Amino acid sequence: MQQTKNNDFNEHIRVLIDKYGSLLFRLSFCVLCNKADAEDAVQDTFLKYLTKAPKFTDEEHEKAWLIKVVSNISKNMVRLRIRRNVIPLDELTDIGVNDSDSEIFELIMGLPPKYNLVLFLHYAEGYKSKEIADILSISEDAVRKRKKKGRELLKTEFERCEFLK
């Protein structure tokens, strides 16, 4: 009986990794700008899931929990300066960013984490402000302000890049 329960849980973890692994990796990479660190953050997220074995009301709640945990782990890694060298930007296609999106993704990665997380969740993952607020445990007003400021920073940086071409 216990063996069956363990097998079901292990299978559930495999399904979660397949379903959300790349999303969590991209989100973490957006903050850390380093492939190895992002992989570590995702691994730590799933380890936390295994050790906490939280109960969720539905699939969206579970996904939001994973996003929040990987976001917090990534931000902590930045804070603690446990970072390796930044990945060359021409390797962005290795993480699922196509050529047409790589320039924008590159600019988003250059923003401070409080802005790039909000922009990534909104534009790349399609979350609404309310959902982002719930995931990041901030107010909707803070989400809207961060989106506005992030877009302003992106616009400035994009114009600067266009000027340099």
Side-chain angles (χ1 to χ4, degrees):
M1 181 86 173
Q2 182 66 24
Q3 183 66 26
T4 304
K5 187 176 177 182
N6 285 341
N7 287 342
D8 289 345
F9 188 70
N10 290 340
E11 183 57 32
H12 181 68
I13 293 294
R14 283 188 201 97
V15 168
L16 286 177
I17 291 169
D18 289 343
K19 193 171 188 177
Y20 301 122
S22 63
L23 161 67
L24 298 176
F25 176 80
R26 288 190 312 271
L27 181 61
S28 182
F29 187 84
C30 193
V31 173
L32 296 167
C33 301
N34 179 278
K35 189 175 180 180
D37 288 340
E39 289 169 346
D40 288 347
V42 172
Q43 183 177 7
D44 289 349
T45 300
F46 284 112
L47 283 173
K48 187 168 278 207
Y49 186 94
L50 285 169
T51 57
K52 300 277 185 194
K55 301 290 183 217
F56 300 103
T57 56
D58 59 19
E59 224 175 275
E60 274 303 309
H61 182 215
E62 186 173 48
K63 181 180 178 183
W65 185 90
L66 290 166
I67 289 171
K68 182 175 180 105
V69 170
V70 80
S71 170
N72 288 339
I73 288 171
S74 299
K75 287 189 281 186
N76 286 340
M77 290 174 77
V78 168
R79 249 190 308 263
L80 297 172
R81 302 209 186 276
I82 304 174
R83 292 178 56 175
R84 297 177 182 93
N85 293 328
V86 174
I87 189 169
L89 295 173
D90 59 340
E91 293 181 29
L92 285 175
T93 54
D94 293 346
I95 64 158
V97 177
N98 61 37
D99 290 337
S100 63
D101 296 337
S102 65
E103 188 172 335
I104 298 297
F105 189 75
E106 198 177 309
L107 292 174
I108 289 174
M109 284 175 21
L111 297 177
K114 74 187 224 178
Y115 303 118
N116 71 15
L117 284 173
V118 169
L119 291 177
F120 178 82
L121 288 171
H122 180 73
Y123 290 111
E125 297 304 321
Y127 282 101
K128 305 277 187 248
S129 293
K130 169 86 172 98
E131 296 167 318
I132 295 169
D134 292 341
I135 290 169
L136 299 179
S137 298
I138 58 177
S139 69
E140 279 185 74
D141 200 35
V143 170
R144 285 189 290 274
K145 287 178 182 176
R146 288 179 186 188
K147 281 196 308 191
K148 182 179 184 221
K149 178 68 173 174
R151 285 190 292 255
E152 289 170 0
L153 292 171
L154 269 179
K155 181 181 178 197
T156 302
E157 189 60 25
F158 188 73
E159 288 170 349
R160 188 184 69 78
C161 289
E162 288 296 311
F163 176 74
L164 294 176
K165 288 184 179 180

